[in-house]
Amino acid sequence: MTFCEYRPGLEGIPVTQSSISFVDGQRGILEYRGYSIEELAQYSTFLETSYLLIWGSLPSKDELAEFEHEIRYHRRLKYRIRDMMKCFPESGHPMDALQACAAALGLFYSRRALDNPVYIRDAVVRLLAKIPTMVAAFQMMRKGNDPVQPRDDLNYAANFLYMLNEREPDPLAARIFDICLTLHAEHTINASTFSAMVTASTLTDPYGVVASAVGTLAGPLHGGANEEVILMLEEIGSIENVEAYLDDCIQKKSKIMGFGHRVYKVKDPRAIILQSLAEQLFEKFGKDEYYDIAVALEHAVEVRLGTKGIYPNVDFYSGLVYRKLGIPTDLFTPVFAIARTAGWLAHWKEQLNENRIFRPTQIYTGSRGTPYEPIEKRDSVEDQELMELVTG
Ligand code: CMC
């Protein structure tokens, strides 16, 4: 065995071999199974792209129709899941609600027949079908309303917006939302996908796999950044304040939300597409008050931090698109989770094909052979600190 150096955050360390997606961070290229993200955004749909990611090739017309049919059929939630959700506090974060609900699915479909293709297909369909219903149901319930039942005559994206607002969405809005889902569906080995793979490697059920990935996506350094971007734009408040805000961040060495990426050193290709989607929405429904601030901030960051490779990532413009679609700020990350479920499931399936449990190692930095001291002889930490103060 060869020993390699410790790299914080596993930077640059391969943890798997994968044929699902490819990123070239220097040239701003993202491909799913070899297809460019630009082409998929333009010609494909989220469900077709999910099929591609999970089963490895684009579906035929019949295969896609069957997949879409299965997903429509499984969109509803068991009433016990809805009852469980009614007990959640309205003030709780929707990502926590989603994590609990995803894990709860395992109570109902708990067989771990991981070598049975029918079980795998069922789990894929159930998770893709029910996660949007859970997100929309929590939104309705926390407002004191009954959840809106899914509608079989609406496609995946339109149905989600319908369940969220109890109103059939404008076709352009539904199409743009579908593209957003495609853009967020997969992104090589990021933190939540790695989390899904580690959980998958123990051969636990797929609901546990997705629940652990949801928990990882929630953090502000990962999926939670899209929500933070809007809070930041709110705080900046006007174009005149952009430079001062940036000065302050640079001086305090704090991160500017929606910028920077472990892999991309140029503008994230998804951010380019999202910005153009935002502009299409603004043309039809009016400009978002924060858009000009966002563009000014992007320009200022490029001038000051561009040489360090700090450019907008996927989270920078997505929030502005979601706001225009009537999605509340704290649902941005759950919406990311709806999309990324496709990628997590693709990696779950890939992991099962050649599984070995993840069991990395560490570089131990603690003490060794410490003699055990009886409790009555031990000083408290406070006592020790006091003693150090007294003795200087
Ligand atoms: N604002 C200012 N400086 C930054 C930023 C930023 N957003 N991101 C990185 N840097 C600087 C950082 O200060 C460091 O500079 P120096 O070398 O002088 O100390 C250098 O760039 C490398 O940063 P790092 O934190 O070591 O990079 P990382 O690869 O560990 O972190 C990141 C990547 C995405 C966590 C980080 O860029 C960040 O915290 N960005 C803000 C949060 C964000 O937008 N997250 C969404 C990520 S993309 C989608 C997703 O994963 O969900």
Side-chain angles (χ1 to χ4, degrees), residues 221-223 225 255-256 258-262 308 310 313 315 336:
L221 295 187
H222 192 9
K255 296 276 169 65
I256 307 139
F259 285 86
H261 199 277
R262 175 67 61 82
K308 276 173 95 174
I310 313 293
N313 59 48
D315 290 320
F336 192 157

Side-chain angles (χ1 to χ4, degrees), residues 137-199:
F138 182 67
Q139 169 64 7
M140 277 292 156
M141 287 186 195
R142 69 177 172 168
K143 291 197 296 185
N145 300 327
D146 276 331
V148 176
Q149 287 300 320
R151 253 180 54 186
D152 287 351
D153 60 324
L154 296 177
N155 68 29
Y156 195 84
N159 175 59
F160 175 71
L161 294 176
Y162 165 73
M163 291 189 297
L164 203 61
N165 300 312
E166 221 174 347
R167 204 171 351 103
E168 212 175 302
D170 174 274
L172 176 73
R175 174 64 191 142
I176 285 186
F177 182 61
D178 193 73
I179 299 173
C180 290
L181 295 178
T182 299
L183 296 178
H184 286 84
E186 159 63 9
H187 206 244
T188 71
I189 310 301
N190 50 82
S192 60
T193 300
F194 185 45
S195 184
M197 286 163 53
V198 172
T199 309

Side-chain angles (χ1 to χ4, degrees), residues 29-266:
I29 293 172
L30 168 61
E31 291 172 355
Y32 296 167
R33 302 270 185 198
Y35 296 93
S36 80
I37 193 64
E38 289 79 9
E39 283 209 302
L40 291 170
Q42 193 172 353
Y43 303 118
S44 188
T45 62
F46 171 66
L47 283 187
E48 188 190 48
T49 298
S50 301
Y51 189 104
L52 167 73
L53 288 168
I54 297 166
W55 311 114
S57 58
L58 283 170
S60 68
K61 220 172 174 182
D62 287 350
E63 285 167 336
L64 180 60
E66 194 187 339
F67 188 51
E68 286 175 345
H69 172 77
E70 285 174 78
I71 288 191
R72 266 170 223 256
Y73 183 76
H74 284 285
R75 278 173 182 168
R76 281 172 182 70
L77 300 179
K78 287 197 182 288
Y79 78 87
R80 284 171 190 236
I81 298 235
R82 292 204 303 270
D83 285 355
M84 177 187 86
M85 292 173 85
K86 280 185 195 150
C87 303
F88 292 171
E90 305 91 65
S91 57
H93 196 285
M95 277 301 269
D96 295 330
L98 180 60
Q99 189 182 22
C101 290
L105 283 180
L107 292 163
F108 295 95
Y109 313 105
S110 62
R111 241 161 23 95
R112 284 186 199 141
L114 299 177
D115 49 0
N116 180 348
V118 177
Y119 175 81
I120 305 257
R121 173 102 178 186
D122 272 6
V124 164
V125 165
R126 284 207 169 91
L127 280 157
L128 284 172
K130 293 185 195 303
I131 283 196
T133 316
M134 289 168 169
V135 173
F138 182 67
Q139 169 64 7
M140 277 292 156
M141 287 186 195
R142 69 177 172 168
K143 291 197 296 185
N145 300 327
D146 276 331
V148 176
Q149 287 300 320
R151 253 180 54 186
D152 287 351
D153 60 324
L154 296 177
N155 68 29
Y156 195 84
N159 175 59
F160 175 71
L161 294 176
Y162 165 73
M163 291 189 297
L164 203 61
N165 300 312
E166 221 174 347
R167 204 171 351 103
E168 212 175 302
D170 174 274
L172 176 73
R175 174 64 191 142
I176 285 186
F177 182 61
D178 193 73
I179 299 173
C180 290
L181 295 178
T182 299
L183 296 178
H184 286 84
E186 159 63 9
H187 206 244
T188 71
I189 310 301
N190 50 82
S192 60
T193 300
F194 185 45
S195 184
M197 286 163 53
V198 172
T199 309
S201 80
T202 70
L203 301 185
T204 191
D205 72 75
Y207 308 101
V209 168
V210 169
S212 50
V214 170
T216 310
L217 184 71
L221 295 187
H222 192 9
N226 53 15
E227 191 179 330
E228 301 289 329
V229 167
I230 297 298
L231 302 177
M232 172 183 75
L233 295 175
E234 251 168 41
E235 190 187 333
I236 297 174
S238 75
I239 295 185
E240 293 70 51
N241 298 337
V242 163
E243 286 294 341
Y245 181 87
L246 190 54
D247 281 345
D248 196 45
C249 284
I250 291 173
Q251 200 211 335
K252 290 183 180 148
K253 292 188 183 302
S254 59
K255 296 276 169 65
I256 307 139
M257 287 292 136
F259 285 86
H261 199 277
R262 175 67 61 82
V263 183
Y264 292 118
K265 299 303 162 204
V266 292

Side-chain angles (χ1 to χ4, degrees), residues 319-336:
L320 292 174
V321 174
Y322 295 153
R323 263 161 68 89
K324 213 58 229 167
L325 295 173
I327 299 172
T329 309
D330 64 358
L331 288 194
F332 294 175
T333 320
V335 162
F336 192 157

